[in-house]
Amino acid sequence: MTTASNNSKRQCLVMGNWKMHGTLADNAKLLAALRPYASKNAAMAVCVPFPYLAQAQDALKGSSVTWGAQDISVHSHGAYTGEVSGAMLKDFGCRWTLVGHSERRSMHAESDQLVADKARAALAVGLTPVVCVGESLAERDAGQAVAVIQRQLAPVLALGADSVNQLVVAYEPVWAIGTGRTATPEQAQEVHAAIRAALSAIGAGNIQILYGGSVKAANAASLFSMPDIDGALVGGAALIADEFLSIAACGDQA
Ligand code: PEP
């Protein structure tokens, strides 16, 4: 088993992924509840659907909660119907964008190379890409989890240490996303340590690696206690203010 490979823990980051959920009215309540969050050890962020970026910006500006998008175009501008560029995200104050979420990899056939190209496009405009990686249940059962993640990360690592040191990685086992089935802290730590070893090999071993997959207040503390887990990417539980705030509180105590 791969063991923890790093010394001091990085700042905890608790990031919500709203996916394709929300209405103006529901978002207003959720954002108002998150806005007073005062970041201590754990920073809080939300990745909202494109149409609600302006609402998130209005509701969160001046607070310690940051916001971002769930995807980015690889192109800077042009005839790409339906795409949204990094510069457009910057216009709405985004700090983050997810790239390579498993739902985009599987439903939109995003390749490992495209995901790396999206990370590069984000960095080019000063956004922090959160590069999502994770294995399917069949791949885990075949003992391929780490190999799959190394394959997914390879084109990202090829961007070089200067770029990789500016991004965040999220390990999200596909079998744990939206299923209620969380990786055990030990299962997650094993993969996180392998990811950190791959990052360390190119001189980027100290970036944040988030865990995602059915994180909730009840399991966040045990996940955050692992040496290579630096926070969480949270789907369903990020839509419930009290639950999301409780996850962040676990991060504050980690
Ligand atoms: C996600 O969407 O990235 C995710 C981890 O979802 P959930 O927390 O609902 O499993």
Side-chain angles (χ1 to χ4, degrees):
M1 178 188 288
T2 318
T3 52
S5 52
N6 215 271
N7 35 29
S8 61
K9 274 207 100 171
R10 295 134 294 270
Q11 189 194 28
C12 184
L13 172 61
V14 174
M15 177 174 282
N17 171 18
W18 289 8
K19 309 198 189 198
M20 199 173 73
H21 293 293
T23 64
L24 284 173
D26 289 347
N27 303 344
K29 286 187 217 143
L30 180 51
L31 292 165
L34 301 183
R35 186 187 156 83
Y37 176 75
S39 177
K40 288 176 253 167
N41 283 329
M44 177 186 282
V46 288
C47 291
V48 309
F50 294 132
Y52 299 133
L53 284 172
Q55 185 186 22
Q57 182 178 33
D58 274 355
L60 297 175
K61 66 174 177 263
S63 80
S64 71
V65 183
T66 54
W67 59 94
Q70 298 169 19
D71 190 27
I72 180 174
S73 175
V74 79
H75 305 290
S76 61
H77 63 280
Y80 301 103
T81 302
E83 294 280 279
V84 176
S85 73
M88 294 171 183
L89 301 181
K90 288 291 283 185
D91 270 346
F92 290 92
C94 288
R95 162 127 185 239
W96 316 93
T97 182
L98 305 182
V99 295
H101 190 280
S102 69
E103 288 151 17
R104 296 214 58 87
R105 289 179 188 264
S106 65
M107 296 176 201
H108 301 272
E110 293 199 0
S111 67
D112 301 334
Q113 185 59 54
L114 180 68
V115 172
D117 291 343
K118 288 186 171 189
R120 191 207 312 264
L123 290 170
V125 295
L127 289 164
T128 300
V130 178
V131 178
C132 304
V133 294
E135 82 286 0
S136 68
L137 188 56
E139 289 163 340
R140 170 159 285 267
D141 288 346
Q144 294 296 309
V146 169
V148 166
I149 280 132
Q150 285 169 340
R151 188 208 74 216
Q152 291 173 333
L153 276 180
V156 176
L157 299 182
L159 297 174
D162 285 353
S163 293
V164 176
N165 270 309
Q166 298 174 63
L167 53 79
V168 171
V169 172
Y171 168 56
E172 299 204 299
V174 176
W175 47 272
I177 297 177
T179 60
R181 184 179 163 189
T182 318
T184 65
E186 293 73 22
Q187 282 175 320
Q189 167 58 27
E190 183 176 8
V191 178
H192 279 234
I195 292 171
R196 195 167 308 284
L199 294 166
S200 295
I202 64 145
N206 208 33
I207 66 170
Q208 289 162 312
I209 308 175
L210 312 184
Y211 169 78
S214 298
V215 175
K216 38 191 179 291
N219 57 28
S222 58
L223 288 160
F224 295 163
S225 72
M226 293 289 130
D228 287 295
I229 298 181
D230 306 317
L233 182 56
V234 184
L239 299 171
I240 306 162
D242 287 350
E243 188 73 15
F244 193 52
L245 287 163
S246 297
I247 293 169
C250 294
D252 265 339
Q253 284 148 26

